[in-house]
Amino acid sequence: QQPVQSPQAVILREGEDAVINCSSSKALYSVHWYRQKHGEAPVFLMILLKGGEQKGHEKISASFNEKKQQSSLYLTASQLSYSGTYFCGTVESGGSNYKLTFGKGTLLTVNP
Amino acid sequence: SAVISQKPSRDICQRGTSLTIQCQVDSQVTMMFWYRQQPGQSLTLIATANQGSEATYESGFVIDKFPISRPNLTFSTLTVSNMSPEDSSIYLCSVGGGTTDNYTFGSGTRLTVV
């Protein structure tokens, strides 16, 4: 089941903050966040696990509400290098092959 | 994290022909995944390839169109068969060990079918 991301796009000025949301209709074991720049492969940012463990970057944080099956990615003091498309990927609880299903993505543009 | 070498990086192919994409991983991995990313779209899982067993295909993808080989724990190929312009996409392989691991992607193969 494809997770739903919002917003579809956001435009920021350098230094501003952004929040990207990801929700699923299925119980989740983990949520993964990736950033993809045009013409490049997705790059891992963050993983959030059932039970609250979080792994990722210092300047990018995220939350995972297991009960609501929702995750949010927080980008603070945005930099020009943050521009790209952000995808959340979800692994459903009870799955047998650790399939990662991606949302449709959020296009983030950071302007000077 | 594993490092994946994927090739070719891009190709332009005639309709009706086939293209085989290769992914080499620098470490042994149990599962490898193949994704398709159509222009401006998200990543869609084609199949999961485990060494020593048949690949598991997602809904909408069939083995005759996308045959996969997984001869060992560090290598896999995806063939796009009997291509049409609708197959023009970026194809990516990925490895990830489990629900607690991040998934690493190859650099992708940009395929254009004319």
Side-chain angles (χ1 to χ4, degrees), chain A residues 31-32 44 46-49 53-55, chain B residues 99-102:
Chain A
V31 179
H32 305 235
F44 169 77
M46 178 82 63
I47 181 173
L48 299 108
L49 306 173
E53 185 179 0
Q54 176 178 316
K55 306 178 186 178
Chain B
T99 55
T100 60
D101 294 340
N102 61 293

Side-chain angles (χ1 to χ4, degrees), chain A residues 29 34 36 41 98-100 103, chain B residues 31 35 37 42 58 99 103 106:
Chain A
Y29 192 91
Y34 288 81
Q36 185 178 33
Y98 310 116
K99 183 172 68 174
L100 188 62
Chain B
M31 291 179 287
Y35 287 85
Q37 187 173 29
S42 182
E58 297 300 307
T99 55
Y103 289 68

Side-chain angles (χ1 to χ4, degrees), chain B residues 10-72:
Chain B
R10 59 178 63 232
D11 207 341
I12 301 174
C13 300
Q14 297 291 323
R15 67 175 66 201
T17 63
S18 299
L19 176 71
T20 295
I21 302 167
Q22 301 180 3
C23 275
Q24 179 75 50
V25 190
D26 69 344
S27 59
Q28 293 185 339
V29 293
T30 303
M31 291 179 287
M32 293 184 73
F33 305 89
W34 288 96
Y35 287 85
R36 181 177 73 183
Q37 187 173 29
Q38 294 176 304
Q41 303 296 313
S42 182
L43 292 85
T44 301
L45 182 64
I46 297 172
T48 302
N50 291 335
Q51 193 269 334
S53 63
E54 294 287 328
T56 302
Y57 289 83
E58 297 300 307
S59 176
F61 298 97
V62 295
I63 188 171
D64 290 345
K65 176 67 176 177
F66 298 101
I68 289 171
S69 77
R70 185 81 203 274
N72 57 53

Side-chain angles (χ1 to χ4, degrees), chain A residues 10-74:
Chain A
V10 59
I11 299 174
L12 301 174
R13 289 201 177 275
E14 211 170 355
E16 292 181 337
D17 302 338
V19 180
I20 301 172
N21 301 303
C22 176
S23 64
S24 175
S25 60
K26 300 286 189 179
L28 301 176
Y29 192 91
S30 60
V31 179
H32 305 235
W33 287 95
Y34 288 81
R35 177 172 60 215
Q36 185 178 33
K37 294 185 179 287
H38 184 69
E40 300 179 7
V43 174
F44 169 77
L45 295 175
M46 178 82 63
I47 181 173
L48 299 108
L49 306 173
K50 187 177 181 179
E53 185 179 0
Q54 176 178 316
K55 306 178 186 178
H57 291 210
E58 293 181 0
K59 295 188 177 181
I60 298 174
S61 62
S63 63
F64 178 24
N65 186 321
E66 298 165 32
K67 288 185 178 180
K68 293 185 177 180
Q69 294 142 202
Q70 295 174 346
S71 176
S72 294
L73 184 72
Y74 305 96

